[in-house]
RNA sequence: GCCGGAGUGGCGGAAUUGGUAGACGCGUGCGACUCAAAAUCGCAUGUCUUCGGGCGUGUGGGUUCAAGUCCCACCUCCGGCACCA
């Protein structure tokens, strides 16, 4: 036995060299009779110097890898370098170095430092992401993704670091600053290459379920993906009739045609009135009997001197209310805009109408026309150059609270929402809106976050219809709505959403309370009074108010009384209340609305287009038999038309009275109007008895009829005219909705769930969504991954552009597409690769003149998304890794890494594997079976180590002082490795570990032939505990158990040589050098290839146990109990013990509890 | 605000299923060795105490023969997300 001093310097050098010479840690992909185990630590960035964090990241997991190896696994524990990245380039700029040289020199230096850890890395498998044989495969994978349609180029707003002059991922921006250099980050529009990670959002979310990861890591990923389940609900856009002149109620109906006449230069003909200076497009009223095209051609001929033009297309009509100067009359009308193109510019003078002669013709650019007509609130009735008719379009909102739809009193668009621009011609306060949009654009994300004061502008001139209530509600644009979440549009429910409430209070928008939280659900939450006596905002979990349950409930009740929401949920005038609880619905009747539309036919003769329209208010009824599902239709006796009960509202009547009267007159039924739904109606019909065209506006009622046998007298005229028919629901729908009709009663019948009132929020979310034709859907926070970086030291994106600017992937045979050398690294805001002549020449040589290379490089997160495959087969030049090698090792059994990669690297690499799997290149769904986030080692002062604080521990220095084994072991002892806490480095603690190793060394002196029986038991307990603890990565307690054993061994009679060597084996994963030295004095193969000791259960206990005796829950005595001793014997023995009688004297024994091997408790 | 996790001596931490709270290490005190110091070794070390014992795991309740561990409520700290509809 070596009884000399423990000299770590000699020993560590000696065995590191020996291991290297003997390839002790070189691993085959398969070993007969052994199961494979892939232990992985996140590879290192070659910053140039190893710090304590590296030791914690690599040396401590090495303990685990060594344990697994001694357990009989074929263990792969590889190491490589994440060698591309910003610091190399920054160093290049700062010190005028070659980033390649800097990186590779650092790697060489760090490899030596890493060897000094005594880690069992298999260096034959190492890699660097900056090696062409590595990044060639990165590019190859990019190409495969491209073919699979997972890659696209898009112009997006990106985070731009002013300092590094590059794009940053969202993850790399912390509080508006660059993660790396802490420079300011601004928003910039840039074209970049995107990877469709969102295609896999559901898989990335759902597959977390099966992973053996810490719940907190999974949760962080779930939040990052940000999946929300909710509903998409459409709000039809309602464009109120625009007034071009003074409003007059009895306007007549007159339709207009306007012509956009284009010349060969895409200019538009504009007519300027010489006398008034006003401008207009050619056009005029549509005459009776004319088609649109006939009318347009006639107007062009009447108003202009051009004759040779051809029809292009018709834009969607706009409805206007206007004043006709010549006729001195007000009109309603649809403006139909037709586009014509001049075949030649030659004018053919012809006789013009007298008053048209006074106009001057001008050719304007399209943009000017748009600005002066389309965007002009006065003339703004022309649809922009597209054919989209936004009047019939809808705004989709995403909501998780569809149960509050009845309470949606306005709608908010994000400033970037398409519809803001699309509806521009209809927005009457466009100037104001435009100014607001500009304002918002100026604000950076940071400002937007800092000032939480809500701002917004109403889009005047447009409204949308709340599909539940069928009421028009205003539309606002506000930057509290984010364009990239959901649909970029929100239905605002001030009464049930804190955010909307705040906005509504500021801009005085209406509140409608529709969900009443039940007392139970109010439960332990707290109401928070925020403003005066009207506005109450609930904030869940606030601590503003304390009180007992009763007090809180009383408070809520008082609030309900005050607000009057207790009974029906309707807020008294002027009261405002916000509560975001779920509960039972109130104030939300079934959706019974009639869809709006252009009614052209309603059981009467088809109207004739033309003059002399009369406007009239009418009412319509859906008549239902009480307690049955039979509906009333009216069939005409004179022709084959059919319709609803309907009629005009007489003077002095309210609509309800009118419809009840009409029902009686037309059918003889008496009924009750139970619902009214308002809608905009443009129902044109020709009244045969009045011989007039009539435009009617009105309401639809639902009438319920109870006693159908008891009909009253019917007007004679109606008996002649109509025959009432009772129809089933389906018959009624067919009856009233033939394709030629546009009278749609859809929603009333879609409502299968009856009245929403009294439904729970959960039920109502589903039912309301369905009844308004919405869809239940999911939305995500996760966005696609932009990988372009305007940097030199990265993997070139394998794309070239043809002379037309179209992008093409570089064919696989040209890979690796090398990073050029001839680049000046001085930053000037352009991509460094754009300055490489070699790259340009190479591109043109291969693809042809005029072709250009992509000059951006990839985000380094791409490089690290697949490196764990390359370790498996790093020499392979025909594949990134062979299927056999991947099958042997994947997925990674345990992945060690930093908490900072919880959401970025971990998510990206999971995506990468899923994408590879989709293409069929790999077999596993998930790269990492197990994952462990390590903690952080702080400086001795408890602060994060940093040069500026002067608290940095240099591991090389400590290693030279106490040895690598001590440093490894100290880091394992500093705290539980399986909990990512932060642990301060204690220099004295290191010495404590060194003392322990010294004592183990000196324990050689106690080797004898005989030993205590109890020490054998202790040894077997120690074997068990050390193995169990390493398995669950509680390395600190594994070490403390060994310490306890050594303490006992020192005090015992002595330890046998074989028991000593067993101890040395237990210690081998922790202190590989010292234990090898001790072991090799008696063996000729490495201790690290030996089998981890096995414990013998029978030796752990030897027949009897000392048990504590509790009396009334307090420990008062100890007793030794033999195995198999009966409870009664034990009880009798104990009760006779003086330490026990002291406490039980004169008291009655109520209970005797004996938990074998644990405790005895007496209750007296 | 929401979602995770955690609160135990002077410090890092231990207590695997509810069963002797404070293992192990550091620090501190006393002692041994030494001319002395360092190193090393030994003993002590939650707290109060009238030396019987009492009290103690963030706070207040509860369940249990027994609670650091389970239940309810609250407080504090750490991490993630956050004007997310």
């Amino acid at each position: 036995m070596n009884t000399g001093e423990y000299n770590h310097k000699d020993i560590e050098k000696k065995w590191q060299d020996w291991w290297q010479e003997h390839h002790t840690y070189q691993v085959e992909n398969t070993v007969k009779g052994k199961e494979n185990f892939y232990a992985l630590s996140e590879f290192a960035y070659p910053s140039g110097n190893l710090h304590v964090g590296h030791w914690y990241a690599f040396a401590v997991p090495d303990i685990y890898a060594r344990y697994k190896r001694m357990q009989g696994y074929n263990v792969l524990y590889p190491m490589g370098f994440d060698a591309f990245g910003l610091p190399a380039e920054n160093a290049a700029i700062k010190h005028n170095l070659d980033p390649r040289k800097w990186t590779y020199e650092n790697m060489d230096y760090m490899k030596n430092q890493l060897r000094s850890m005594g880690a069992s890395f298999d260096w034959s498998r190492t890699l660097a992401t900056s090696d062409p044989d590595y990044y060639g495969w990165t590019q190859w994978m990019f190409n495969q993704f491209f073919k699979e349609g997972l890659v696209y180029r898009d112009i997006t707003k990106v985070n731009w670091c002013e300092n590094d002059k590059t794009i940053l991922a969202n993850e790399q921006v912390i509080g508006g600053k660059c993660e790396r250099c802490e420079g300011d980050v601004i928003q910039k529009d840039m074209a970049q290459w995107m990877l469709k990670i969102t295609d896999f959002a559901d898989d990335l979310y759902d597959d977390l379920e099966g992973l053996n990861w810490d719940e907190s890591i999974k949760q962080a990923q779930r939040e990052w993906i940000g999946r929300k389940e909710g509903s998409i609900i459409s709000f039809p856009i309602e464009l109120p009739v625009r007034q071009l002149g003074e409003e007059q109620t009895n306007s007549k109906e007159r339709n207009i045609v306007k012509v956009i006449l284009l010349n060969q230069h895409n200019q538009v003909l504009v007519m300027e009135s010489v006398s008034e200076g006003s401008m207009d497009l050619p056009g005029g009223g549509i005459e009776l009997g004319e088609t649109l095209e006939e009318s347009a051609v006639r107007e062009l001929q009447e108003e202009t001197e051009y004759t040779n033009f051809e029809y292009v297309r018709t834009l969607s009509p706009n409805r206007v209310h206007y004043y006709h100067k010549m006729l001195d009359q007000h009109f309603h009308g649809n403006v139909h805009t037709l586009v014509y193109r001049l075949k030649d510019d030659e004018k053919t003078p012809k006789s013009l109408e007298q008053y048209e002669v006074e106009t001057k013709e001008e050719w304007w650019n399209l943009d000017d026309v748009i600005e002066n007509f389309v965007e002009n609130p006065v003339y703004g009735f022309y649809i922009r150059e597209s054919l989209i008719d936004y009047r019939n379009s809808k705004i989709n909102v995403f909501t998780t609270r569809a149960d509050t739809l009845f309470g949606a009193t306005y709608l908010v668009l994000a400033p970037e929402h398409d519809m803001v621009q699309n509806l521009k011609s209809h927005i009457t306060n466009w100037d104001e809106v435009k100014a607001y949009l500009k304002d918002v654009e100026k604000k950076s994300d940071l400002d937007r976050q800092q000032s939480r004061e809500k701002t917004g502008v109403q889009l005047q001139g447009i409204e949308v219809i709340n599909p539940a209530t069928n009421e028009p509600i205003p539309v606002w644009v506000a930057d509290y709505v984010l364009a990239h979440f959901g649909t970029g549009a929100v239905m605002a429910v001030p009464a049930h959403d804190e955010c909307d409430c705040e906005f509504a209070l500021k801009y005085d928008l209406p509140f409608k309370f529709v969900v009443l939280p039940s007392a139970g659900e109010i439960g332990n939450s707290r109401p928070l009074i925020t403003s005066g006596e009207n506005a109450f905002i609930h904030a869940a979990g606030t601590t503003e108010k304390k009180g007992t349950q009763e007090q809180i409930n009383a408070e809520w009740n008082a609030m309900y009384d005050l607000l009057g929401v207790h009974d029906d949920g309707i807020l008294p005038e002027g009261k405002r209340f916000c509560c975001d609880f779920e509960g039972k619905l109130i104030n939300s009747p079934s959706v019974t609305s009639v869809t709006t539309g252009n009614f052209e036919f309603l059981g009467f003769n088809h109207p004739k287009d033309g003059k002399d329209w009369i406007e009239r208010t009418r009412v319509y009824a859906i008549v239902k038999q009480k307690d049955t599902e039979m509906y009333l239709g009216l069939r005409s006796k004179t022709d084959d038309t059919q319709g609803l009960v309907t009629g005009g509202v007489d003077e002095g009547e309210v609509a309800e009275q009118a419809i009840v009267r009409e029902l009686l007159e037309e059918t003889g039924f008496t009924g009750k109007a139970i619902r009214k739904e308002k809608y905009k109606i443009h129902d044109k019909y020709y009244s045969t008895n009045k011989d007039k065209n009539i435009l009617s506006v009105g309401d639809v009622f639902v009438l319920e009829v109870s006693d159908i046998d008891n009909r009253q007298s019917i007007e004679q005229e109606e008996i002649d005219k109509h025959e009432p028919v009772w129809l089933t629901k389906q018959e009624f729908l067919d009856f009233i909705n033939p394709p030629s009709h546009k009278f749609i009663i859809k929603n009333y019948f879609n409502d299968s769930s009856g009245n929403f009132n009294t439904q729970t929020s959960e039920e109502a979310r589903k039912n309301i969504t369905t009844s308004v034709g919405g869809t239940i859907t999911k939305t995500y926070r996760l966005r696609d991954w932009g990988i372009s970086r305007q940097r030199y030291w990265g993997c070139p994106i394998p794309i070239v552009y043809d002379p037309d600017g179209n992008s093409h992937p570089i064919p696989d045979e040209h890979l690796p597409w090398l990073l050029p050398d001839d680049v000046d690294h001085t930053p000037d805001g352009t991509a460094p690769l754009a300055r490489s002549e070699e790259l340009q020449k190479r591109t043109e040589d291969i693809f042809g003149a005029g072709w250009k290379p992509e000059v951006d490089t990839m985000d380094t997160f791409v490089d690290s998304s697949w490196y764990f495959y390359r370790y498996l087969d790093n020499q392979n030049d025909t594949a990134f890794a062979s299927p056999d090698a991947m099958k042997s090792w994947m997925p990674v059994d345990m992945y060690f890494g930093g908490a900072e990669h919880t959401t970025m690297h971990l998510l990206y690499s999971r995506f990468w594997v899923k994408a590879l799997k989709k293409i069929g290149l790999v077999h596993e769904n998930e790269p990492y079976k197990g994952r462990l986030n390590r903690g952080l080692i702080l400086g001795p002062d408890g602060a994060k180590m940093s040069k500026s604080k002067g608290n940095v521990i240099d591991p090389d220095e400590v290693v030279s002082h106490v040895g690598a084994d001590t440093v490894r072991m100290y880091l394992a002892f500093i705290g539980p490795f399986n909990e990512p806490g932060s642990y301060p480095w204690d220099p004295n603690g290191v010495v404590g570990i060194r003392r322990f190793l010294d004592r183990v060394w000196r324990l050689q002196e106690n080797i004898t032939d005989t030993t205590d029986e109890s020490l054998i038991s202790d040894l077997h307990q120690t074997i068990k505990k050390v193995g169990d603890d390493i398995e669950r990565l509680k390395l600190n307690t594994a070490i403390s158990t060994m310490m306890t054993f050594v303490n006992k061994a020192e005090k015992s009679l002595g330890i046998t040589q074989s028991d000593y060597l067993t101890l040395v084996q237990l210690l081998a994963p922790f202190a590989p050098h010292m234990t090898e030295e001790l072991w090799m004095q008696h063996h000729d193969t490495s201790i690290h290839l030996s089998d981890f000791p096995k414990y013998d259960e029978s030796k752990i206990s030897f027949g009897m146990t000392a048990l504590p005796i509790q009396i009334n829950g307090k420990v008062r005595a100890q007793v030794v109990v033999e195995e198999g001793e009966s409870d009664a014997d034990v009880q009798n023995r104990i009760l006779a013990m003086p330490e026990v009688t002291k406490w039980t004297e004169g008291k009655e024994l109520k209970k005797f509890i004996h938990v074998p091997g644990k405790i005895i408790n007496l209750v007296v």
Side-chain angles (χ1 to χ4, degrees), chain A residues 541-741:
Chain A
T542 53
T543 56
E544 307 292 321
K545 290 184 142 227
K546 288 183 184 174
T548 64
Q549 198 59 57
E550 289 72 28
Q551 286 169 333
I552 293 162
N553 286 347
E555 207 169 329
W556 274 92
N557 287 333
M559 202 154 31
Y560 285 168
D561 290 345
L562 172 69
L563 292 162
V565 293
H566 219 173
D567 300 327
D568 55 8
I570 295 165
L571 288 171
E573 203 59 33
K575 300 273 187 187
R576 287 143 168 198
F577 182 73
C578 175
C579 169
D580 61 10
F581 288 123
E582 302 198 351
K584 290 239 181 326
L585 268 71
I586 54 170
N587 210 16
S588 306
S590 301
V591 179
T592 57
S593 57
V594 177
T595 305
T596 61
N598 290 326
F599 297 172
E600 289 177 358
F601 183 67
L602 190 63
F604 300 92
N605 293 326
H606 200 282
K608 295 166 187 162
D609 266 324
K611 303 170 183 172
D612 296 325
W613 292 90
I614 291 171
E615 187 174 309
R616 193 160 179 240
T617 303
R618 277 176 84 83
V619 282
Y620 301 84
I622 296 164
V623 182
K624 180 183 170 293
Q625 259 181 37
K626 198 183 179 187
D627 303 326
T628 74
E629 281 293 319
M630 300 300 284
Y631 294 87
L632 185 68
L634 294 181
R635 183 169 286 132
S636 166
K637 287 179 178 170
T638 53
D639 52 44
D640 61 352
T641 61
Q642 54 214 26
L644 296 172
V645 172
T646 182
V649 180
D650 289 346
E651 213 174 332
E653 268 183 341
V654 299
E656 277 91 342
Q657 291 170 316
I659 193 64
V660 170
R661 175 181 53 73
E662 289 288 349
L663 176 71
L664 184 66
E665 284 176 8
E666 295 195 354
T667 67
F669 293 116
T670 51
K672 190 181 158 205
I674 54 174
R675 281 188 203 100
K676 181 179 88 169
E677 298 300 334
K678 257 183 146 170
Y679 64 102
K680 295 276 191 288
I681 180 171
H682 304 297
D683 178 16
K684 299 176 217 159
Y685 66 97
Y686 184 74
S687 174
T688 43
N689 59 351
K690 293 204 172 92
D691 200 23
K692 281 265 158 73
N693 287 313
I694 295 177
L695 171 76
S696 69
V697 176
D699 300 335
V700 173
F701 288 82
V702 177
L703 297 187
E704 206 169 65
V705 177
S706 52
D707 187 2
I708 59 164
D709 292 332
N710 186 19
R711 291 170 76 178
Q712 311 289 313
S713 63
I714 306 167
E715 279 191 6
Q716 188 54 47
E717 185 194 343
E718 300 296 341
I719 294 173
D720 295 343
K721 214 160 124 190
H722 297 116
E723 177 187 27
V725 278
W726 286 104
L727 303 158
T728 65
K729 187 173 108 184
Q730 192 52 53
E731 286 167 349
F732 180 73
L733 283 171
D734 295 343
F735 181 85
I736 204 70
N737 282 336
S740 60
H741 299 205

Side-chain angles (χ1 to χ4, degrees), chain A residues 831-886:
Chain A
L833 294 196
R835 290 170 243 158
S836 165
E837 286 169 22
E838 184 272 319
L839 184 65
Q840 179 61 43
K841 184 173 180 299
R842 191 199 314 165
T843 305
E844 296 202 61
D845 286 350
I846 295 174
F847 299 99
W851 286 64
K852 286 197 166 122
E854 167 64 59
V855 293
D856 287 346
T857 54
M858 293 188 204
D859 183 1
T860 53
F861 276 118
V862 176
D863 307 326
S864 58
S865 285
W866 71 277
Y867 73 106
F868 42 88
Y869 283 113
R870 193 60 181 169
Y871 286 138
L872 311 180
D873 198 8
N874 67 339
Q875 304 299 316
N876 196 330
D877 54 10
T878 58
F880 65 92
S882 75
D884 281 350
M886 290 193 277

Side-chain angles (χ1 to χ4, degrees), chain A residues 511-523:
Chain A
F511 282 61
K512 194 178 168 200
F513 193 67
V514 293
V515 177
L516 183 67
S518 56
E521 278 154 350
I522 291 166

